[in-house]
Amino acid sequence: MGIDVAAPRLSWVVEHSGSDVQTGSEVEILRDGGITRHLSDARSTSFLPWPAAPLRSRERAVVRVRSRLESGWADWSDPLPVEAGLLERSDWASDFVSPSLSAPADAARPAYLLRAAFAVRGTVRRARVYASAHGVYDLEVNGGGAGDDDLLSPGWSSYAHRLRYRTLDITGQLADGENVIGAWLADGWYRGRLGFNGGLWNIYGSDVALLCQLELEDDLGARVVPLTWTWAPAPIVSTGLYEGETHDQGLAHAGWSAPGFDDSAWQPTSTIALSGTPAVLEAPTGPAVRVVERLNPVAAERRPDGRVLLDFGQNISGKLEFTARATPGHQIVLRHAEVLEHGELSLRPLRTAQARDVYVFGSDDFETWTPRFTIHGFRYAEVEGWPVDQDPRTIEALVMHSDMSRTGRFSSSDELLDRFHENVVWSMRDNFVDLPTDCPQRDERLGWSGDIQVFAAAAAFLHDSTGVLQNWLRDLAAEQIEYGSVMNFHPWVACGFPSAPAAAWGDAAVIVPWVLYQRTGDTGIIQEQFGSMSAWIEQVYTLTHETGLWNEGFQLGDWLDPAAPPDRPDHSATDRYLVATAYLAHSARLVARAASALGDPAGEERYSGIADKARSAFRRQWVSPAGRVVSDTVTALSLAIAFELLEGAESATAGERLAALVAAGGYRIQTGFVGTPLVCDALASTGHMDDAYHLVLQRETPSWLWPVSMGATTVWERWDSLLPDGSVNPGEMTSFNHYALGAVVDFLHRRVAGLAPAAPGYSSVRFAPEPGGGLSRASAAHESSFGRYEITWVRDSESLAVEMTVPAAGEAVFVNPTDPERIERIGPGTHVIRVPFRAPEDDPRPERVWNIHNPDERRQMELEREGVGG
Ligand code: BGC
């Protein structure tokens, strides 16, 4: 509904379990009462170009498709309606209406109600609302909802460049006579406080305003309905994304959005001409933010002073909802936190985000409430004022995020590893709230580019995240032109963070679109982003004075290296310029490959040239003739190996050294944001898969599993966000919900379970399981655009059985783990291959590196040698 692509491409999945493949297809399009049919000989089921004339603004078509299989025609698909939105700016005949052109910038502001009555004559054949806002809004029609459950619309985009509108079909809600459309409107990201260091107000403007175009086809014909709006203060007396919301039901206007309501005391709105808005009006590319799950408390405790402490058992992004009865004026206060410290909510990690909601009862009947325009990151909540005679376990936590479909799964025989994977899935969900953010709780929730750069592959496997990421990439590209650089987060908020370009963060401009292309097969994404991808490389290349050696200026480096002091997360043991130059070589190579995929030989040559130069510069500066890498750290070696900066025997030398450093570190994490996502692949690709297992399955801190053993339900920002004694890390940055360090799950999918794309979009897959680590089972599944691929391997004392499923439109190879030279092609259907393999208990175990200078360790070592110790 309301797409703004005039020629939408078509993709479908052929659902059958046999080995019958598609040899062509037929698309049927019903529009304007006529039917057209279009035959294609394409074998692909993905991104078939729209075979008919482009859609016009508002045009609706109904599409169905059938595949021609080797055995004959498959059944027609279910018909899918598709409707264009307003494709031209000139389709907009409405202006913004505003109840507030400015407000003091010191505290969260109130929300507003806007109302417009209009007449319908006779039968409604078609009614559409096209809506957006400066701020966040919720629509009502004739006293009820407007037919959707989207929250925080229009979401956050770089509003100076892009403003998204929604199309709603309200045909069924209108009737002959008087009708009413109403809107709740508040600051949201547009005018509310955003950013750290106290944040900024009015970033995009000092007003809040609604843009709402109503189009109607009734007995008077088709027309844009002129609306006259009035406004009044909403019962939401203050609301902010960080601050939380206060709602006084005593101030509610009963029936305000229904016909017949007396709005004579309401104020007229001001008009802001749409023509003054430079932003492009766009339809959303991804799913809206919605309530996707409801959680009940797993524990509720009443404190002697009357406060109730709730534990929802899971760290989420969302809000609370309750139904309770009290007396008019009675207040319930809700506070939110991710963890407890000394039995109380730990609020310090939220920094200046108060995350405090207040509800004031309006009657002595049962009332149900959830805040409308705020969102919090929390597992625990404290409730003040909960009526003593009512059960607090009826309070629910509503999980809110972009409503993406789940596409990837992983499980294994190790429960802790599975819970870690689950934590990564949760951290992704909690941080995909319209845009990919760093964290959902404190005064940031910003689209940090480095975080999604490292996490993009995991995201693309776990959920259908293309729409969310494509939207974010458009903001990145638009602001890159505005500021002349990729910023460290997008949309950019100038709240004090350096705006200088930084490697690994700015490289999101290249890596995120590249990963999406690899994982979806959609060249449209690299096509759309190519200007942005190449501009980043050009910018950095200029910064290197065209030498390829990025050796000066601001860098975040291997951010949050555990060896860095808590207050200097950028002071990693790895040379920051080594990181920068490695990234230039890597990203330039990807841009060259993107150019090649787009059929642009000149671009391919240009960016291969820059990649070669950066690679040579890296090698001259940091690789010894024998293949040692300076600086001698896990991150430096991982980068050199993973980004293919080494030659010939150097990789083996670097791999040996990497394995030695990882072992010497006791298989505990020695890497930050840059090295952590790469180290396991770097070990595995140089023949040290067992060391990768020791690292992944490590339970002592710092490690991926240690937080899980401490009860984590999401991925922490720091390995020790919670210290071993259970207290909260005193550092400035102590989030319990950052997906970045969870990027390693992509390694679990590809190399542990063994399901890796072998061609863009998983048109073919490489099943190459590498069992180890004592695991007796692992499995992964992915719903690709070609259908569902699945692998499960199970080991007994002498063999490994691998079951693989390939969808009808797909193909795969199986790489024998005992002899990787033996590669078998496997086609659609389910296949089981059994190979002799060592028993899980015979897998190598990590060798403990003892510190013989420490008397305790020396004694423990002796005891273990005598077979007495643990
Ligand atoms: C964010 C990170 C981000 C980093 C970079 C932090 O405050 O939470 O995830 O990448 O800053 O400086």
mmCIF file of all heavy atoms in Angstrom, residues 208-241:
data_model
loop_
_atom_site.group_PDB
_atom_site.id
_atom_site.type_symbol
_atom_site.label_atom_id
_atom_site.label_comp_id
_atom_site.label_asym_id
_atom_site.label_seq_id
_atom_site.Cartn_x
_atom_site.Cartn_y
_atom_site.Cartn_z
ATOM 1 N N VAL A 208 5.994 21.700 15.638
ATOM 2 C CA VAL A 208 5.480 20.364 15.330
ATOM 3 C C VAL A 208 4.299 20.578 14.391
ATOM 4 O O VAL A 208 3.557 21.560 14.533
ATOM 5 C CB VAL A 208 5.005 19.559 16.564
ATOM 6 C CG1 VAL A 208 6.183 19.018 17.335
ATOM 7 C CG2 VAL A 208 4.083 20.370 17.445
ATOM 8 N N ALA A 209 4.148 19.702 13.431
ATOM 9 C CA ALA A 209 3.100 19.928 12.427
ATOM 10 C C ALA A 209 2.698 18.606 11.792
ATOM 11 O O ALA A 209 3.479 17.662 11.726
ATOM 12 C CB ALA A 209 3.612 20.887 11.353
ATOM 13 N N LEU A 210 1.462 18.573 11.348
ATOM 14 C CA LEU A 210 0.915 17.380 10.703
ATOM 15 C C LEU A 210 0.739 17.656 9.217
ATOM 16 O O LEU A 210 0.290 18.741 8.833
ATOM 17 C CB LEU A 210 -0.448 17.060 11.334
ATOM 18 C CG LEU A 210 -1.230 15.907 10.711
ATOM 19 C CD1 LEU A 210 -0.611 14.568 11.104
ATOM 20 C CD2 LEU A 210 -2.699 15.963 11.161
ATOM 21 N N LEU A 211 1.074 16.657 8.416
ATOM 22 C CA LEU A 211 0.791 16.743 6.981
ATOM 23 C C LEU A 211 -0.206 15.632 6.694
ATOM 24 O O LEU A 211 0.101 14.449 6.909
ATOM 25 C CB LEU A 211 2.070 16.526 6.177
ATOM 26 C CG LEU A 211 1.900 16.529 4.650
ATOM 27 C CD1 LEU A 211 1.459 17.906 4.164
ATOM 28 C CD2 LEU A 211 3.200 16.120 3.967
ATOM 29 N N CYS A 212 -1.385 15.994 6.262
ATOM 30 C CA CYS A 212 -2.422 14.979 6.109
ATOM 31 C C CYS A 212 -3.272 15.318 4.893
ATOM 32 O O CYS A 212 -3.987 16.320 4.897
ATOM 33 C CB CYS A 212 -3.268 14.936 7.384
ATOM 34 S SG CYS A 212 -4.590 13.744 7.325
ATOM 35 N N GLN A 213 -3.164 14.490 3.877
ATOM 36 C CA GLN A 213 -3.972 14.713 2.678
ATOM 37 C C GLN A 213 -5.031 13.625 2.601
ATOM 38 O O GLN A 213 -4.718 12.437 2.582
ATOM 39 C CB GLN A 213 -3.077 14.674 1.438
ATOM 40 C CG GLN A 213 -3.863 14.831 0.149
ATOM 41 C CD GLN A 213 -2.980 15.386 -0.959
ATOM 42 O OE1 GLN A 213 -2.282 16.387 -0.762
ATOM 43 N NE2 GLN A 213 -3.011 14.760 -2.119
ATOM 44 N N LEU A 214 -6.287 14.078 2.552
ATOM 45 C CA LEU A 214 -7.402 13.135 2.498
ATOM 46 C C LEU A 214 -7.966 13.134 1.084
ATOM 47 O O LEU A 214 -8.336 14.192 0.562
ATOM 48 C CB LEU A 214 -8.476 13.556 3.510
ATOM 49 C CG LEU A 214 -9.794 12.779 3.436
ATOM 50 C CD1 LEU A 214 -9.590 11.316 3.820
ATOM 51 C CD2 LEU A 214 -10.831 13.422 4.350
ATOM 52 N N GLU A 215 -8.033 11.959 0.490
ATOM 53 C CA GLU A 215 -8.599 11.846 -0.860
ATOM 54 C C GLU A 215 -9.813 10.928 -0.805
ATOM 55 O O GLU A 215 -9.776 9.874 -0.175
ATOM 56 C CB GLU A 215 -7.552 11.301 -1.828
ATOM 57 C CG GLU A 215 -6.343 12.220 -1.906
ATOM 58 C CD GLU A 215 -5.415 11.904 -3.056
ATOM 59 O OE1 GLU A 215 -5.708 10.958 -3.822
ATOM 60 O OE2 GLU A 215 -4.404 12.610 -3.195
ATOM 61 N N LEU A 216 -10.858 11.354 -1.479
ATOM 62 C CA LEU A 216 -12.153 10.704 -1.334
ATOM 63 C C LEU A 216 -12.795 10.505 -2.692
ATOM 64 O O LEU A 216 -12.670 11.360 -3.576
ATOM 65 C CB LEU A 216 -13.018 11.663 -0.508
ATOM 66 C CG LEU A 216 -14.283 11.159 0.133
ATOM 67 C CD1 LEU A 216 -13.950 10.020 1.092
ATOM 68 C CD2 LEU A 216 -14.947 12.305 0.897
ATOM 69 N N GLU A 217 -13.455 9.365 -2.846
ATOM 70 C CA GLU A 217 -14.272 9.165 -4.047
ATOM 71 C C GLU A 217 -15.644 8.734 -3.554
ATOM 72 O O GLU A 217 -15.799 7.633 -3.018
ATOM 73 C CB GLU A 217 -13.624 8.080 -4.907
ATOM 74 C CG GLU A 217 -14.000 8.162 -6.358
ATOM 75 C CD GLU A 217 -13.334 7.050 -7.155
ATOM 76 O OE1 GLU A 217 -12.120 6.810 -6.953
ATOM 77 O OE2 GLU A 217 -14.037 6.405 -7.945
ATOM 78 N N ASP A 218 -16.643 9.629 -3.628
ATOM 79 C CA ASP A 218 -18.002 9.312 -3.196
ATOM 80 C C ASP A 218 -18.962 9.774 -4.289
ATOM 81 O O ASP A 218 -18.550 9.950 -5.433
ATOM 82 C CB ASP A 218 -18.294 9.938 -1.821
ATOM 83 C CG ASP A 218 -18.181 11.466 -1.844
ATOM 84 O OD1 ASP A 218 -18.010 12.041 -2.948
ATOM 85 O OD2 ASP A 218 -18.258 12.095 -0.779
ATOM 86 N N ASP A 219 -20.210 10.032 -3.918
ATOM 87 C CA ASP A 219 -21.184 10.390 -4.961
ATOM 88 C C ASP A 219 -20.882 11.743 -5.600
ATOM 89 O O ASP A 219 -21.417 12.062 -6.658
ATOM 90 C CB ASP A 219 -22.616 10.376 -4.385
ATOM 91 C CG ASP A 219 -23.034 8.956 -4.030
ATOM 92 O OD1 ASP A 219 -22.251 8.023 -4.356
ATOM 93 O OD2 ASP A 219 -24.102 8.763 -3.426
ATOM 94 N N LEU A 220 -20.029 12.531 -4.942
ATOM 95 C CA LEU A 220 -19.662 13.828 -5.531
ATOM 96 C C LEU A 220 -18.454 13.684 -6.459
ATOM 97 O O LEU A 220 -18.008 14.652 -7.062
ATOM 98 C CB LEU A 220 -19.321 14.844 -4.438
ATOM 99 C CG LEU A 220 -20.471 15.364 -3.595
ATOM 100 C CD1 LEU A 220 -19.938 16.359 -2.563
ATOM 101 C CD2 LEU A 220 -21.526 16.034 -4.466
ATOM 102 N N GLY A 221 -17.885 12.490 -6.532
ATOM 103 C CA GLY A 221 -16.734 12.261 -7.413
ATOM 104 C C GLY A 221 -15.438 12.168 -6.627
ATOM 105 O O GLY A 221 -15.450 12.137 -5.395
ATOM 106 N N ALA A 222 -14.322 12.124 -7.356
ATOM 107 C CA ALA A 222 -13.000 11.959 -6.722
ATOM 108 C C ALA A 222 -12.394 13.321 -6.462
ATOM 109 O O ALA A 222 -12.440 14.204 -7.316
ATOM 110 C CB ALA A 222 -12.095 11.143 -7.640
ATOM 111 N N ARG A 223 -11.835 13.498 -5.267
ATOM 112 C CA ARG A 223 -11.276 14.816 -4.943
ATOM 113 C C ARG A 223 -10.339 14.737 -3.736
ATOM 114 O O ARG A 223 -10.407 13.795 -2.939
ATOM 115 C CB ARG A 223 -12.388 15.813 -4.639
ATOM 116 C CG ARG A 223 -13.246 15.409 -3.442
ATOM 117 C CD ARG A 223 -14.523 16.250 -3.378
ATOM 118 N NE ARG A 223 -15.278 15.997 -2.175
ATOM 119 C CZ ARG A 223 -16.080 14.938 -1.987
ATOM 120 N NH1 ARG A 223 -16.184 13.999 -2.919
ATOM 121 N NH2 ARG A 223 -16.750 14.787 -0.860
ATOM 122 N N VAL A 224 -9.474 15.744 -3.635
ATOM 123 C CA VAL A 224 -8.724 15.956 -2.401
ATOM 124 C C VAL A 224 -9.636 16.783 -1.516
ATOM 125 O O VAL A 224 -10.121 17.838 -1.930
ATOM 126 C CB VAL A 224 -7.408 16.709 -2.675
ATOM 127 C CG1 VAL A 224 -6.700 17.036 -1.363
ATOM 128 C CG2 VAL A 224 -6.503 15.898 -3.587
ATOM 129 N N VAL A 225 -9.905 16.317 -0.312
ATOM 130 C CA VAL A 225 -10.856 17.020 0.561
ATOM 131 C C VAL A 225 -10.133 18.147 1.297
ATOM 132 O O VAL A 225 -9.152 17.887 2.006
ATOM 133 C CB VAL A 225 -11.464 16.041 1.587
ATOM 134 C CG1 VAL A 225 -12.446 16.754 2.496
ATOM 135 C CG2 VAL A 225 -12.107 14.867 0.881
ATOM 136 N N PRO A 226 -10.584 19.387 1.143
ATOM 137 C CA PRO A 226 -9.944 20.464 1.919
ATOM 138 C C PRO A 226 -10.307 20.284 3.399
ATOM 139 O O PRO A 226 -11.482 20.109 3.726
ATOM 140 C CB PRO A 226 -10.554 21.740 1.340
ATOM 141 C CG PRO A 226 -11.614 21.328 0.377
ATOM 142 C CD PRO A 226 -11.737 19.840 0.351
ATOM 143 N N LEU A 227 -9.330 20.301 4.261
ATOM 144 C CA LEU A 227 -9.603 20.074 5.689
ATOM 145 C C LEU A 227 -9.324 21.346 6.481
ATOM 146 O O LEU A 227 -8.315 22.020 6.259
ATOM 147 C CB LEU A 227 -8.720 18.937 6.220
ATOM 148 C CG LEU A 227 -8.964 17.558 5.605
ATOM 149 C CD1 LEU A 227 -7.895 16.569 6.068
ATOM 150 C CD2 LEU A 227 -10.361 17.031 5.972
ATOM 151 N N THR A 228 -10.210 21.640 7.402
ATOM 152 C CA THR A 228 -9.987 22.767 8.300
ATOM 153 C C THR A 228 -9.711 22.190 9.683
ATOM 154 O O THR A 228 -10.548 21.480 10.242
ATOM 155 C CB THR A 228 -11.246 23.666 8.361
ATOM 156 O OG1 THR A 228 -11.565 24.022 7.023
ATOM 157 C CG2 THR A 228 -10.992 24.906 9.192
ATOM 158 N N TRP A 229 -8.535 22.472 10.205
ATOM 159 C CA TRP A 229 -8.106 21.822 11.439
ATOM 160 C C TRP A 229 -8.230 22.754 12.636
ATOM 161 O O TRP A 229 -8.001 23.957 12.524
ATOM 162 C CB TRP A 229 -6.640 21.408 11.318
ATOM 163 C CG TRP A 229 -6.386 20.336 10.296
ATOM 164 C CD1 TRP A 229 -6.124 20.515 8.971
ATOM 165 C CD2 TRP A 229 -6.387 18.931 10.528
ATOM 166 N NE1 TRP A 229 -5.949 19.295 8.356
ATOM 167 C CE2 TRP A 229 -6.100 18.299 9.291
ATOM 168 C CE3 TRP A 229 -6.592 18.122 11.655
ATOM 169 C CZ2 TRP A 229 -6.018 16.915 9.153
ATOM 170 C CZ3 TRP A 229 -6.501 16.747 11.521
ATOM 171 C CH2 TRP A 229 -6.229 16.157 10.283
ATOM 172 N N THR A 230 -8.581 22.152 13.769
ATOM 173 C CA THR A 230 -8.487 22.884 15.035
ATOM 174 C C THR A 230 -7.649 22.028 15.980
ATOM 175 O O THR A 230 -7.487 20.832 15.755
ATOM 176 C CB THR A 230 -9.868 23.112 15.676
ATOM 177 O OG1 THR A 230 -10.515 21.837 15.803
ATOM 178 C CG2 THR A 230 -10.719 24.038 14.818
ATOM 179 N N TRP A 231 -7.162 22.652 17.036
ATOM 180 C CA TRP A 231 -6.344 21.861 17.965
ATOM 181 C C TRP A 231 -6.637 22.212 19.412
ATOM 182 O O TRP A 231 -7.157 23.290 19.719
ATOM 183 C CB TRP A 231 -4.855 22.037 17.667
ATOM 184 C CG TRP A 231 -4.292 23.378 18.082
ATOM 185 C CD1 TRP A 231 -4.240 24.503 17.331
ATOM 186 C CD2 TRP A 231 -3.701 23.702 19.345
ATOM 187 N NE1 TRP A 231 -3.663 25.524 18.027
ATOM 188 C CE2 TRP A 231 -3.314 25.062 19.281
ATOM 189 C CE3 TRP A 231 -3.463 22.983 20.530
ATOM 190 C CZ2 TRP A 231 -2.702 25.713 20.352
ATOM 191 C CZ3 TRP A 231 -2.857 23.638 21.593
ATOM 192 C CH2 TRP A 231 -2.479 25.006 21.484
ATOM 193 N N ALA A 232 -6.256 21.272 20.278
ATOM 194 C CA ALA A 232 -6.352 21.488 21.733
ATOM 195 C C ALA A 232 -5.210 20.709 22.383
ATOM 196 O O ALA A 232 -4.681 19.781 21.780
ATOM 197 C CB ALA A 232 -7.693 20.963 22.251
ATOM 198 N N PRO A 233 -4.831 21.090 23.610
ATOM 199 C CA PRO A 233 -3.777 20.304 24.282
ATOM 200 C C PRO A 233 -4.262 18.878 24.506
ATOM 201 O O PRO A 233 -5.425 18.656 24.870
ATOM 202 C CB PRO A 233 -3.591 21.019 25.628
ATOM 203 C CG PRO A 233 -4.254 22.340 25.480
ATOM 204 C CD PRO A 233 -5.319 22.202 24.433
ATOM 205 N N ALA A 234 -3.394 17.917 24.294
ATOM 206 C CA ALA A 234 -3.743 16.513 24.548
ATOM 207 C C ALA A 234 -3.605 16.246 26.044
ATOM 208 O O ALA A 234 -2.938 17.007 26.760
ATOM 209 C CB ALA A 234 -2.804 15.609 23.765
ATOM 210 N N PRO A 235 -4.181 15.157 26.528
ATOM 211 C CA PRO A 235 -3.957 14.814 27.949
ATOM 212 C C PRO A 235 -2.510 14.400 28.230
ATOM 213 O O PRO A 235 -2.151 14.177 29.379
ATOM 214 C CB PRO A 235 -4.929 13.657 28.186
ATOM 215 C CG PRO A 235 -5.331 13.166 26.836
ATOM 216 C CD PRO A 235 -5.169 14.295 25.879
ATOM 217 N N ILE A 236 -1.706 14.276 27.183
ATOM 218 C CA ILE A 236 -0.271 13.992 27.373
ATOM 219 C C ILE A 236 0.395 15.324 27.714
ATOM 220 O O ILE A 236 0.623 16.158 26.834
ATOM 221 C CB ILE A 236 0.341 13.385 26.101
ATOM 222 C CG1 ILE A 236 -0.346 12.051 25.767
ATOM 223 C CG2 ILE A 236 1.846 13.207 26.255
ATOM 224 C CD1 ILE A 236 0.067 11.434 24.437
ATOM 225 N N VAL A 237 0.692 15.532 28.991
ATOM 226 C CA VAL A 237 1.191 16.849 29.389
ATOM 227 C C VAL A 237 2.681 17.021 29.104
ATOM 228 O O VAL A 237 3.166 18.143 28.994
ATOM 229 C CB VAL A 237 0.866 17.191 30.862
ATOM 230 C CG1 VAL A 237 -0.623 17.408 31.036
ATOM 231 C CG2 VAL A 237 1.345 16.098 31.797
ATOM 232 N N SER A 238 3.392 15.910 28.956
ATOM 233 C CA SER A 238 4.769 16.008 28.468
ATOM 234 C C SER A 238 5.170 14.656 27.897
ATOM 235 O O SER A 238 4.730 13.613 28.390
ATOM 236 C CB SER A 238 5.729 16.413 29.591
ATOM 237 O OG SER A 238 5.899 15.336 30.477
ATOM 238 N N THR A 239 5.979 14.705 26.846
ATOM 239 C CA THR A 239 6.450 13.440 26.287
ATOM 240 C C THR A 239 7.748 13.653 25.538
ATOM 241 O O THR A 239 7.927 14.653 24.842
ATOM 242 C CB THR A 239 5.386 12.766 25.382
ATOM 243 O OG1 THR A 239 5.893 11.493 24.946
ATOM 244 C CG2 THR A 239 5.018 13.601 24.167
ATOM 245 N N GLY A 240 8.666 12.718 25.724
ATOM 246 C CA GLY A 240 9.957 12.767 25.030
ATOM 247 C C GLY A 240 10.495 11.356 24.914
ATOM 248 O O GLY A 240 10.199 10.497 25.750
ATOM 249 N N LEU A 241 11.283 11.123 23.877
ATOM 250 C CA LEU A 241 11.800 9.771 23.669
ATOM 251 C C LEU A 241 12.702 9.351 24.816
ATOM 252 O O LEU A 241 12.677 8.202 25.250
ATOM 253 C CB LEU A 241 12.544 9.692 22.337
ATOM 254 C CG LEU A 241 11.624 9.851 21.118
ATOM 255 C CD1 LEU A 241 12.416 10.240 19.887
ATOM 256 C CD2 LEU A 241 10.835 8.570 20.870
#
